[in-house]
Amino acid sequence: MNLPRKRTILAVDDDQKTRQLLKLYLEKHQYVVQLAADGESFRSGFERYRDELSLVILDVMLPDTDGFALCQMVRQRAPMLPIIMLTASADDTERIVGLELGADDYIGKPYNPRELLARIKAIHRRAGMVGEGAPRYLSFAGFRLDRLERTLSAPDGEKVTLTAMDFDLLRLFAEHPGEVLDRARLMEQTRGRDLGPTDRSLDVQVSRLRQRLGDDGKQPSLIKTVRASGYVFSVEVQASHD
């Protein structure tokens, strides 16, 4: 069977058994999976399959480098390519660092393959969430969000570098201007899971998005914090087809 492009996943993990089980499981669900055992083979695979990739999976601990360095490399060369990081640490620090570097999601090791598959499907589903007949563009404060091409243009016309998760979060805000969106809803609609009591990933994501927009984190004018509730996109948004 010829699989469609953009269903290829590149995964790096230094444990051979884990790699093989991951490959077998995802291939059962119609993904093409390329494997790497270390940073060097991942970089080689990334260059080879870059135009076909729909997502990469990065283990944090590797023999010759770490997942953070690989995350930075991917972000520099493919800003919108989704990244899921795997971490065996129970400490939230690794997860926060990964998100700050541009990862879209993370999952703890050991993990249930079904949970990882659900995360992958959620990311791919969000990448195609422009309904037929829906306005393509959302404009606000001089910015122009293209929901079809998944790009953001700044007031000066330059493209703003966004990750896939940055885009999904911004789109959600821009689709609900003036509406207080609670943290649980934001988490469910951008990551497809519940927000844990100590989970800071959403706050890290909002902070990163503010930086992309040049929105002052201490006195934001676009994405404002609503204490004990969530966040609100506090500017007028205009929707258009052209």
Side-chain angles (χ1 to χ4, degrees):
M1 173 170 32
N2 293 322
L3 296 177
R5 292 187 61 182
K6 292 297 181 182
R7 285 184 63 88
T8 300
I9 295 173
L10 176 60
V12 57
D13 195 302
D14 64 345
D15 184 83
Q16 183 178 6
K17 184 178 179 180
T18 299
R19 290 197 306 274
Q20 293 302 324
L21 288 175
L22 175 64
K23 181 178 177 68
L24 288 172
Y25 187 78
L26 293 182
E27 285 183 342
K28 283 175 55 179
H29 293 273
Q30 307 306 308
Y31 288 94
V32 175
V33 182
Q34 305 296 342
L35 299 176
D38 51 33
E40 181 179 359
S41 57
F42 176 85
R43 290 186 177 93
S44 176
F46 180 79
E47 291 303 325
R48 180 176 180 181
Y49 301 108
R50 176 176 170 179
D51 293 339
E52 303 170 30
L53 295 177
S54 65
L55 183 141
V56 297
I57 299 172
L58 305 176
D59 189 13
V60 171
M61 299 299 294
L62 296 168
D64 58 344
T65 184
D66 58 51
F68 302 134
L70 297 180
C71 181
Q72 287 180 300
M73 183 273 288
V74 172
R75 276 291 157 261
Q76 290 171 356
R77 303 186 186 187
M80 287 293 289
L81 182 63
I83 298 172
I84 294 178
M85 299 198 75
L86 307 177
T87 173
S89 174
D91 189 348
D92 281 343
T93 301
E94 280 193 356
R95 302 178 182 190
I96 292 171
V97 169
L99 293 171
E100 289 176 338
L101 291 174
D104 296 285
D105 206 350
Y106 60 81
I107 189 169
K109 298 176 69 176
Y111 58 86
N112 186 321
R114 291 184 179 180
E115 181 182 1
L116 178 59
L117 178 64
R119 303 281 184 91
I120 293 170
K121 286 184 174 180
I123 288 174
H124 286 156
R125 184 171 59 250
R126 289 192 298 271
M129 282 181 57
V130 180
E132 185 177 353
R136 175 173 176 174
Y137 301 103
L138 299 174
S139 301
F140 57 91
F143 291 92
R144 184 176 172 91
L145 190 72
D146 185 333
R147 297 197 294 177
L148 183 61
E149 295 294 331
R150 294 177 62 84
T151 59
L152 177 68
S153 300
D156 62 4
E158 293 294 319
K159 296 296 185 186
V160 179
T161 300
L162 296 177
T163 68
M165 190 59 68
D166 290 334
F167 182 90
D168 291 334
L169 184 59
L170 178 58
R171 178 176 59 188
L172 183 57
F173 278 129
E175 288 173 345
H176 299 87
E179 181 181 343
V180 177
L181 302 178
D182 65 63
R183 298 171 76 250
R185 178 181 175 185
L186 288 168
M187 191 72 171
E188 194 281 327
Q189 292 195 20
T190 59
R191 296 183 185 276
R193 69 173 189 272
D194 294 335
L195 183 69
T198 62
D199 194 337
R200 293 178 51 203
S201 61
L202 178 63
D203 302 311
V204 173
Q205 186 71 43
V206 170
S207 176
R208 192 173 75 189
L209 181 56
R210 283 172 172 159
Q211 292 177 13
R212 300 282 193 270
L213 299 173
D215 200 19
D216 187 345
K218 294 182 179 180
Q219 293 183 319
S221 61
L222 299 179
I223 305 172
K224 294 186 177 181
T225 302
V226 181
R227 190 175 298 276
S229 295
Y231 298 95
V232 60
F233 201 59
S234 59
V235 293
E236 182 180 350
V237 177
Q238 294 182 337
S240 63
H241 291 278
D242 51 33

